[in-house]
Amino acid sequence: MTAIELAIGPCLFNWSPEHLTDFYARIADEAPVERVYLGEVVCGKRMPFSDPVWPQVIERLQRAGKTVVLSSLALPATVRERKAMIGLAEAGLPLEFNDMSMLATTAPGPFVAGPFLNVYNEAALGALVRHGASDWCPPVEVPLASIAAVARAHPQVTVELFAFGRLPLALSGRCYHARAHGLSKDSCQFVCEKDPDGMNVATLDKARFLAVNGIQTLSDSCQVVTLGPERLMENGVSRLRLSPHTVDMVEVARAYRDLLDGTASEAETEARLTAMDLPGPPCNAALAGEAGWRQVAL
């Protein structure tokens, strides 16, 4: 049986350089994952603070035998950010494209089609394969049946399923996180750093609703997908993505590794994960084609 890989996705939140360094040191030394994505995906204003950390982090992860992939911004909006994307392409490491403009920025070569790209069917993925896509992390709202159909049409592509973490739903040119604190986007004071798992948003009736991370909207719920290796392979999935949060991500990775190695059942793994201090209630129903905030039997 082909082994299912584990990957740590890019950190979506505004963590301090010290937090990032400590986090990836533990991932390098303790987490049973094969691949780690690095880079700022959400807000280019954060890059001057996080960019100096990456060379040290990359060296530490590679020394531990991890494959390092650099993730692009999902909404580059300035000349500086576009130049940063060109620099990313010149770094000599595998890349994840989260914006279609990366196709014009980089020379042809293998890349990961990230979950921020609008790839919902066989034709869309086929177009990216012709440009060099070798891996695909589907948008989080794509049902498992659709993922399986696309995977069957492109068996040469490695499919990576977003299995854990708050679901990245949308990006905006405006920053609600700043606005909620009476600030503008241009003078945001990086207030998003106060919410390392995103800022909880409630309805007028005080019901939990969504989460905000700078210009990004996330689910309030936390994706927890605990399909076993046989069921994953039946649907064309050969890698799981775990999105970083302040919960102990080493323990999260160990729980998934036990599941994929067959030493823990799907039910045992779900119980183990939901007993942790997750940022929100568990969910997985988008994979069943239902309202994504719910947790259902897949």
mmCIF file of all heavy atoms in Angstrom, residues 187-205:
data_model
loop_
_atom_site.group_PDB
_atom_site.id
_atom_site.type_symbol
_atom_site.label_atom_id
_atom_site.label_comp_id
_atom_site.label_asym_id
_atom_site.label_seq_id
_atom_site.Cartn_x
_atom_site.Cartn_y
_atom_site.Cartn_z
ATOM 1 N N SER A 187 -2.720 51.955 7.958
ATOM 2 C CA SER A 187 -2.144 52.189 9.294
ATOM 3 C C SER A 187 -2.723 51.188 10.283
ATOM 4 O O SER A 187 -3.217 51.543 11.346
ATOM 5 C CB SER A 187 -2.425 53.624 9.753
ATOM 6 O OG SER A 187 -3.816 53.883 9.778
ATOM 7 N N CYS A 188 -2.632 49.913 9.924
ATOM 8 C CA CYS A 188 -3.296 48.840 10.680
ATOM 9 C C CYS A 188 -2.614 48.528 12.003
ATOM 10 O O CYS A 188 -3.185 47.843 12.857
ATOM 11 C CB CYS A 188 -3.350 47.579 9.832
ATOM 12 S SG CYS A 188 -1.710 46.880 9.462
ATOM 13 N N GLN A 189 -1.358 48.988 12.170
ATOM 14 C CA GLN A 189 -0.574 48.687 13.367
ATOM 15 C C GLN A 189 -0.421 47.173 13.586
ATOM 16 O O GLN A 189 -0.153 46.713 14.687
ATOM 17 C CB GLN A 189 -1.184 49.343 14.606
ATOM 18 C CG GLN A 189 -1.271 50.859 14.507
ATOM 19 C CD GLN A 189 -1.933 51.503 15.698
ATOM 20 O OE1 GLN A 189 -1.891 50.961 16.811
ATOM 21 N NE2 GLN A 189 -2.552 52.658 15.494
ATOM 22 N N PHE A 190 -0.626 46.418 12.518
ATOM 23 C CA PHE A 190 -0.485 44.954 12.555
ATOM 24 C C PHE A 190 -1.300 44.355 13.698
ATOM 25 O O PHE A 190 -0.849 43.452 14.416
ATOM 26 C CB PHE A 190 0.989 44.558 12.650
ATOM 27 C CG PHE A 190 1.787 45.040 11.473
ATOM 28 C CD1 PHE A 190 2.504 46.230 11.534
ATOM 29 C CD2 PHE A 190 1.793 44.331 10.285
ATOM 30 C CE1 PHE A 190 3.223 46.692 10.437
ATOM 31 C CE2 PHE A 190 2.505 44.788 9.180
ATOM 32 C CZ PHE A 190 3.220 45.967 9.261
ATOM 33 N N VAL A 191 -2.523 44.859 13.814
ATOM 34 C CA VAL A 191 -3.382 44.453 14.933
ATOM 35 C C VAL A 191 -3.756 42.979 14.849
ATOM 36 O O VAL A 191 -4.134 42.368 15.856
ATOM 37 C CB VAL A 191 -4.634 45.353 14.971
ATOM 38 C CG1 VAL A 191 -5.556 45.054 13.782
ATOM 39 C CG2 VAL A 191 -5.375 45.217 16.292
ATOM 40 N N CYS A 192 -3.618 42.374 13.673
ATOM 41 C CA CYS A 192 -3.954 40.955 13.516
ATOM 42 C C CYS A 192 -3.053 40.060 14.355
ATOM 43 O O CYS A 192 -3.400 38.902 14.608
ATOM 44 C CB CYS A 192 -3.902 40.550 12.048
ATOM 45 S SG CYS A 192 -2.373 40.990 11.199
ATOM 46 N N GLU A 193 -1.905 40.564 14.803
ATOM 47 C CA GLU A 193 -1.019 39.749 15.634
ATOM 48 C C GLU A 193 -1.638 39.436 16.991
ATOM 49 O O GLU A 193 -1.193 38.520 17.691
ATOM 50 C CB GLU A 193 0.321 40.455 15.826
ATOM 51 C CG GLU A 193 0.264 41.711 16.675
ATOM 52 C CD GLU A 193 1.598 42.415 16.797
ATOM 53 O OE1 GLU A 193 2.591 41.887 16.245
ATOM 54 O OE2 GLU A 193 1.650 43.480 17.429
ATOM 55 N N LYS A 194 -2.677 40.176 17.367
ATOM 56 C CA LYS A 194 -3.345 39.921 18.643
ATOM 57 C C LYS A 194 -4.199 38.660 18.601
ATOM 58 O O LYS A 194 -4.644 38.178 19.646
ATOM 59 C CB LYS A 194 -4.225 41.114 19.022
ATOM 60 C CG LYS A 194 -3.474 42.409 19.267
ATOM 61 C CD LYS A 194 -4.417 43.533 19.660
ATOM 62 C CE LYS A 194 -3.666 44.828 19.934
ATOM 63 N NZ LYS A 194 -4.597 45.928 20.309
ATOM 64 N N ASP A 195 -4.453 38.131 17.411
ATOM 65 C CA ASP A 195 -5.328 36.964 17.245
ATOM 66 C C ASP A 195 -4.576 35.877 16.491
ATOM 67 O O ASP A 195 -4.729 35.726 15.277
ATOM 68 C CB ASP A 195 -6.605 37.364 16.495
ATOM 69 C CG ASP A 195 -7.399 38.434 17.227
ATOM 70 O OD1 ASP A 195 -7.940 38.124 18.298
ATOM 71 O OD2 ASP A 195 -7.455 39.575 16.732
ATOM 72 N N PRO A 196 -3.748 35.093 17.179
ATOM 73 C CA PRO A 196 -2.874 34.136 16.501
ATOM 74 C C PRO A 196 -3.593 32.971 15.843
ATOM 75 O O PRO A 196 -2.973 32.228 15.076
ATOM 76 C CB PRO A 196 -1.956 33.646 17.618
ATOM 77 C CG PRO A 196 -2.720 33.879 18.877
ATOM 78 C CD PRO A 196 -3.522 35.121 18.638
ATOM 79 N N ASP A 197 -4.891 32.799 16.102
ATOM 80 C CA ASP A 197 -5.697 31.817 15.381
ATOM 81 C C ASP A 197 -6.829 32.487 14.610
ATOM 82 O O ASP A 197 -7.767 31.822 14.168
ATOM 83 C CB ASP A 197 -6.305 30.795 16.351
ATOM 84 C CG ASP A 197 -5.277 29.787 16.851
ATOM 85 O OD1 ASP A 197 -4.499 29.282 16.020
ATOM 86 O OD2 ASP A 197 -5.241 29.536 18.067
ATOM 87 N N GLY A 198 -6.766 33.812 14.458
ATOM 88 C CA GLY A 198 -7.834 34.554 13.820
ATOM 89 C C GLY A 198 -8.780 35.166 14.849
ATOM 90 O O GLY A 198 -8.895 34.678 15.975
ATOM 91 N N MET A 199 -9.427 36.254 14.460
ATOM 92 C CA MET A 199 -10.368 36.946 15.341
ATOM 93 C C MET A 199 -11.764 36.375 15.147
ATOM 94 O O MET A 199 -12.296 36.355 14.035
ATOM 95 C CB MET A 199 -10.378 38.441 15.014
ATOM 96 C CG MET A 199 -11.327 39.272 15.857
ATOM 97 S SD MET A 199 -11.262 41.046 15.428
ATOM 98 C CE MET A 199 -11.949 41.029 13.773
ATOM 99 N N ASN A 200 -12.364 35.884 16.236
ATOM 100 C CA ASN A 200 -13.701 35.312 16.158
ATOM 101 C C ASN A 200 -14.725 36.394 15.816
ATOM 102 O O ASN A 200 -14.670 37.514 16.335
ATOM 103 C CB ASN A 200 -14.080 34.651 17.481
ATOM 104 C CG ASN A 200 -13.186 33.469 17.811
ATOM 105 O OD1 ASN A 200 -12.690 32.791 16.918
ATOM 106 N ND2 ASN A 200 -12.979 33.214 19.092
ATOM 107 N N VAL A 201 -15.656 36.050 14.956
ATOM 108 C CA VAL A 201 -16.726 36.959 14.540
ATOM 109 C C VAL A 201 -18.062 36.315 14.871
ATOM 110 O O VAL A 201 -18.275 35.124 14.582
ATOM 111 C CB VAL A 201 -16.648 37.258 13.030
ATOM 112 C CG1 VAL A 201 -17.807 38.139 12.592
ATOM 113 C CG2 VAL A 201 -15.317 37.926 12.682
ATOM 114 N N ALA A 202 -18.970 37.082 15.487
ATOM 115 C CA ALA A 202 -20.290 36.569 15.861
ATOM 116 C C ALA A 202 -21.368 37.325 15.098
ATOM 117 O O ALA A 202 -21.158 38.445 14.623
ATOM 118 C CB ALA A 202 -20.513 36.720 17.369
ATOM 119 N N THR A 203 -22.538 36.725 14.985
ATOM 120 C CA THR A 203 -23.691 37.387 14.392
ATOM 121 C C THR A 203 -24.274 38.385 15.391
ATOM 122 O O THR A 203 -23.855 38.463 16.547
ATOM 123 C CB THR A 203 -24.765 36.364 14.016
ATOM 124 O OG1 THR A 203 -25.302 35.794 15.232
ATOM 125 C CG2 THR A 203 -24.192 35.240 13.163
ATOM 126 N N LEU A 204 -25.261 39.154 14.942
ATOM 127 C CA LEU A 204 -25.939 40.095 15.840
ATOM 128 C C LEU A 204 -26.619 39.375 16.993
ATOM 129 O O LEU A 204 -26.861 39.969 18.047
ATOM 130 C CB LEU A 204 -26.959 40.929 15.058
ATOM 131 C CG LEU A 204 -26.370 41.907 14.040
ATOM 132 C CD1 LEU A 204 -27.494 42.587 13.261
ATOM 133 C CD2 LEU A 204 -25.489 42.941 14.710
ATOM 134 N N ASP A 205 -26.917 38.097 16.798
ATOM 135 C CA ASP A 205 -27.524 37.291 17.864
ATOM 136 C C ASP A 205 -26.478 36.604 18.732
ATOM 137 O O ASP A 205 -26.809 35.708 19.514
ATOM 138 C CB ASP A 205 -28.460 36.238 17.256
ATOM 139 C CG ASP A 205 -29.633 36.858 16.530
ATOM 140 O OD1 ASP A 205 -30.108 37.917 16.992
ATOM 141 O OD2 ASP A 205 -30.060 36.297 15.508
#
